[in-house]
Amino acid sequence: MIRVNENFLNLKDNYLFTEIAKRTNHFKEMNPDANIIKLGIGDVTLPLPSCVIDAMHSAVDDLSNKDSFKGYGPEIGYDFLREKISKWDYKKNSIMIDKDEIFISDGIASDIGNFGDLLSENISVGIANPVYPEYLDVSLMSGRVNIVYIPFSAENNFTPSLPTRNIDLIYICMPNNPTGTALTKTELKRWVDYAIKEKSLILFDNAYEKYIEEDDIPHSIYEIDGAKKVAIEFRSYSKNAGFTGVRCGYTVVPREVCAYDLSDKEIKLNSLWNRRQCTKFNGASYISQKGAEALYTEKGQKQISESINYYKYNCKIMRESLIQAGYETYGGVNSPYVWFKVPIGYTSWEYFDLLLNKVNVVTTPGSGFGTEGEGYIRLSAFGTHESTIEAMERIKNFVKKI
Ligand code: PLP
């Protein structure tokens, strides 16, 4: 008899965004004329930069010609892109990451979920609370139930104390989705030092690196001494160049980083990840890698900045409006997310429903990101200027009336 993987039965039924869609659709059916503004889901809305479009068109032409046609590519990515990443994202910032430490992928979600393949099931896992829900789900799917939640909340100024017990695997999302806050270099160093001492591994999700604007926030975990021994960094072009549909990203697995076998011998993860990817992954498409390569030019970097500035303007509007309306507000400076506390007496979902019903604005309830998110709402900056301004006017007027 075929048996199910019981680990999947430990997952919660309702995925956050499915529930938001369900409630929004129900409201729409009941109020077909309502002008709903969505500041909930974290998908980008601006089209791809023109340099990416041109490069992808030209890549399609390559595939149409028998001399430049490409079939299966290298599973870990084409050298043309790995070399550009090494130079532009690391060496230009004085971080020595070589092309052989860079693995191209179809984005962070797959890689951060799959990386657990290399690690024992019997490890303790530290997960920030609140945080992007994938880390908990992939841990449960792979049978890792020894979870330690690390509160990243307003109560500890989003800088938790180090755990007093050993944690083997630590997920850090920085700048953090959903709170929009980030650890400074000094604070991140404490976690790297902890991982070195405990022989732990940090999976560092750097999806929002391009949104960082404050000087003391690190752009890469490898800015911290010793991090190459204990950290894997995940990045993608999703949130900075509109690749959420195109799909391309990369994972850095430094040569030094290791885990340990049962006799405590160091096992290098770079070669294990290479082996894993070459077996289970066929590589990101040639077309998407060519599109990503085009971002590593002066023109490409300028076009990335233009989209980031567009979304950051929305953040500024949201942050200032919420503060004016009297909400306790966080984030939105180094990240495309603004996080605010709902008035006393409401849960996150109750306030989500209230905003949907009274001002027709869809938000994301903080409790969907972990228990410490209860009592908060996340707003995303990925809307248009017009809809963001309109949503904020509605919220300010609503607050004035109550
Ligand atoms: N990591 C974080 C923190 C995210 O918020 C998201 C998407 O919202 C992802 C990863 C997914 O990134 P990708 O599109 O590269 O898979």
Side-chain angles (χ1 to χ4, degrees):
M1 186 189 295
I2 185 70
R3 302 282 183 197
V4 72
N5 179 346
E6 300 251 342
N7 294 331
F8 278 68
L9 310 183
N10 291 330
L11 299 169
K12 271 213 220 139
D13 252 3
N14 262 331
Y15 183 57
L16 174 63
F17 295 110
T18 317
E19 182 62 23
I20 292 174
K22 201 171 103 194
R23 292 187 192 211
T24 308
N25 289 338
H26 177 72
F27 177 78
K28 227 175 184 163
E29 271 167 34
M30 297 292 132
N31 305 276
D33 296 331
N35 172 12
I36 296 176
I37 299 178
K38 294 188 178 175
L39 297 184
I41 298 178
D43 198 357
V44 292
T45 49
L46 291 175
L48 291 167
S50 67
C51 65
V52 171
I53 299 287
D54 293 345
M56 293 204 301
H57 278 164
S58 148
V60 171
D61 290 342
D62 291 346
L63 302 184
S64 67
N65 181 323
K66 86 175 171 22
D67 295 328
S68 50
F69 171 75
K70 303 273 183 283
Y72 286 122
E75 293 87 345
I76 59 173
Y78 284 98
D79 279 355
F80 63 74
L81 181 55
R82 298 167 78 211
E83 278 159 7
K84 295 272 165 47
I85 293 168
S86 163
K87 177 172 162 202
W88 286 72
D89 286 347
Y90 293 99
K91 290 183 180 156
K92 271 187 177 229
N93 300 318
S94 309
I95 300 169
M96 292 303 130
I97 294 290
D98 286 336
K99 125 180 130 39
D100 297 342
E101 299 172 293
I102 294 164
F103 297 77
I104 309 298
S105 70
D106 63 359
I108 299 174
S110 342
D111 274 11
I112 211 163
N114 293 331
F115 208 86
D117 279 10
L118 308 192
L119 308 168
S120 160
E121 187 183 307
N122 301 314
I123 51 174
S124 50
V125 180
I127 299 184
N129 182 3
V131 84
Y132 181 55
E134 184 188 349
Y135 316 143
L136 175 62
D137 283 351
V138 296
S139 300
L140 296 177
M141 282 177 188
S142 47
R144 300 193 176 103
V145 290
N146 185 358
I147 311 277
V148 180
Y149 292 99
I150 306 168
F152 271 77
S153 58
E155 284 67 39
N156 59 21
N157 201 23
F158 304 98
T159 51
S161 330
L162 293 173
T164 48
R165 52 161 290 187
N166 167 269
I167 301 179
D168 302 309
L169 179 65
I170 304 162
Y171 287 91
I172 297 183
C173 177
M174 214 48 62
N176 191 28
N177 175 8
T179 59
T181 55
L183 294 177
T184 62
K185 217 172 192 172
T186 314
E187 289 151 4
L188 186 59
K189 183 175 183 318
R190 289 165 52 237
W191 287 90
V192 169
D193 291 346
Y194 170 88
I196 293 170
K197 183 167 136 278
E198 298 290 332
K199 296 197 158 116
S200 316
L201 181 69
I202 296 175
L203 299 187
F204 191 76
D205 184 340
N206 207 356
Y208 300 102
E209 180 268 329
K210 284 279 184 279
Y211 291 83
I212 295 172
E213 67 178 56
E214 290 181 321
D215 287 344
D216 56 348
I217 308 297
H219 286 253
S220 164
I221 194 163
Y222 305 120
E223 288 179 33
I224 314 290
D225 280 346
K228 281 191 187 170
K229 180 85 182 159
V230 292
I232 310 292
E233 180 162 290
F234 301 86
R235 294 198 194 188
S236 78
Y237 306 98
S238 287
K239 302 300 169 85
N240 52 42
F243 272 53
T244 51
V246 174
R247 308 306 307 156
C248 193
Y250 64 88
T251 292
V252 178
V253 188
R255 273 189 283 275
E256 298 93 313
V257 74
C258 61
Y260 300 84
D261 71 6
L262 289 176
S263 56
D264 296 347
K265 190 174 130 220
E266 280 189 5
I267 306 291
K268 301 284 187 213
L269 294 179
N270 180 293
S271 52
L272 286 197
W273 183 243
N274 195 344
R275 186 75 178 84
R276 191 260 172 221
Q277 291 299 78
C278 291
T279 306
K280 290 198 185 179
F281 183 55
N282 270 326
S285 81
Y286 174 71
I287 300 170
S288 57
Q289 291 188 62
K290 274 289 174 187
E293 185 197 19
L295 296 165
Y296 295 105
T297 53
E298 294 308 329
K299 183 175 173 192
Q301 297 292 301
K302 186 165 165 276
Q303 292 188 342
I304 288 183
S305 297
E306 282 163 9
S307 339
I308 300 281
N309 289 342
Y310 184 92
Y311 296 133
K312 292 200 89 162
Y313 179 77
N314 289 346
C315 262
K316 185 169 157 356
I317 302 278
M318 294 192 301
R319 224 180 47 244
E320 289 175 358
S321 306
L322 290 170
I323 292 169
Q324 267 174 35
Y327 293 100
E328 199 178 304
T329 305
Y330 303 94
V333 177
N334 298 299
S335 137
Y337 299 117
V338 177
W339 183 244
F340 71 91
K341 196 168 168 57
V342 305
I344 291 171
Y346 290 95
T347 64
S348 299
W349 275 112
E350 283 165 356
Y351 211 67
F352 167 91
D353 285 333
L354 190 77
L355 290 177
L356 177 59
N357 282 283
K358 299 291 183 198
V359 294
N360 310 155
V361 174
V362 180
T363 58
T364 310
S367 54
F369 298 95
T371 50
E372 295 287 331
E374 181 54 270
Y376 289 84
I377 292 276
R378 186 195 78 173
L379 294 185
S380 139
F382 294 125
T384 60
H385 288 338
E386 297 72 24
S387 63
T388 305
I389 291 169
E390 165 72 18
M392 289 302 118
E393 286 307 311
R394 289 188 201 173
I395 291 177
K396 280 194 289 188
N397 289 334
F398 167 67
V399 169
K400 261 190 225 147
K401 280 196 218 131
I402 53 172

